[in-house]
Amino acid sequence: MSGKGLFITFEGIDGSGKSTQARLLADHLTAQGRDVVLTREPGGSPGAEEIRALVLQGDPDRWSAQTEILLFTAARRDHMERTILPALEAGKVVICDRFADSTRMYQGLSRGDLRGDVDALHARMIGVEPDLTLLIDMDPTQGLSRALSRQTKEERFEEFGEALQAAMRAGFLALAEEFAARFRVIDGARAIDDVARDVQAIVQKRLAA
Ligand code: ADP
Ligand code: TYD
């Protein structure tokens, strides 16, 4: 499905350490001489970065969950066409900070059960799943305090608060069971280097397979 390359995604609640670990993994694989594309969602292509500003800034109730499903999927479609698929076709390792599992969780669970709509649109418009998904799991209180200490303008979801983050954590763990073949769960409540060592070991095994 994903051509000759390897498509790796990081998932988890806000502040769990995804961006940090995605960057460290990209550095590690690059040092081994691999061709790596490090990217993120929402975003990862010029058009999708414009949509990112629309969905992450402003009031928490700026968009309904249904509108968000469309916006995040539109961003993903552009990101996939312009960044992800060309890189995979060229045999590169694509490391993406969040992907469709985030839509399954944030839009699918946060304001009622819209998982069916998320999955239907995904099947129709995206139709690609990662080869490997690394879920950085951690306690939401710790994650949120890390995330809010960053002080960015992109706080629409962080402002939904701790109860939502707790639901997201449980949802991600359930998703890891649902898609057990591609998910690996990593304990994120440890030192950055310890988490990175686990990430590298899992990816190395997958690259050798
Ligand atoms: P995410 O992308 O999941 O939101 P980040 O990688 O941006 O998380 O990390 C959020 C904050 O926590 C950053 O300031 C980062 O430096 C810090 N951080 C990341 N991993 C750890 C860790 N294992 N221990 C302590 N702080 C961490
Ligand atoms: P991100 O920049 O990864 O935030 P963080 O570093 O805090 O984890 O993602 C921004 C927010 O966008 C995050 O709160 C989750 C949300 N999001 C969705 O709601 N749906 C999606 O499909 C994606 C990709 C992200």
Side-chain angles (χ1 to χ4, degrees), residues 103-149:
T103 318
R104 292 186 171 106
M105 291 297 99
Y106 287 79
Q107 284 64 49
L109 291 186
S110 65
R111 285 149 289 172
D113 181 8
L114 295 177
R115 174 71 193 277
D117 291 328
V118 173
D119 283 341
L121 197 60
H122 179 80
R124 180 96 192 163
M125 284 297 158
I126 308 295
V128 169
E129 298 295 348
D131 298 305
L132 179 64
T133 299
L134 302 170
L135 172 57
I136 311 291
D137 176 56
M138 74 177 310
D139 171 56
T141 313
Q142 209 175 336
L144 203 60
S145 77
R146 280 188 195 170
L148 290 173
S149 71

Side-chain angles (χ1 to χ4, degrees), residues 76-77 128 163 196-197:
R76 182 161 305 127
R77 175 77 204 192
V128 169
R197 241 189 313 278

Side-chain angles (χ1 to χ4, degrees), residues 140-161:
T141 313
Q142 209 175 336
L144 203 60
S145 77
R146 280 188 195 170
L148 290 173
S149 71
R150 279 180 310 210
Q151 302 251 323
T152 68
K153 281 192 292 180
E154 295 181 340
E155 287 184 352
R156 273 194 67 233
F157 292 91
E158 286 155 16
E159 283 172 6
F160 279 124

Side-chain angles (χ1 to χ4, degrees), residues 12-21 97-98 146-147 149-150 158 188-192 195:
I13 59 171
D14 294 324
S16 56
K18 297 176 300 300
S19 317
T20 303
Q21 294 300 329
D97 186 352
R98 294 193 184 279
R146 280 188 195 170
S149 71
R150 279 180 310 210
E158 286 155 16
R190 295 174 294 156
I192 289 176
V195 179

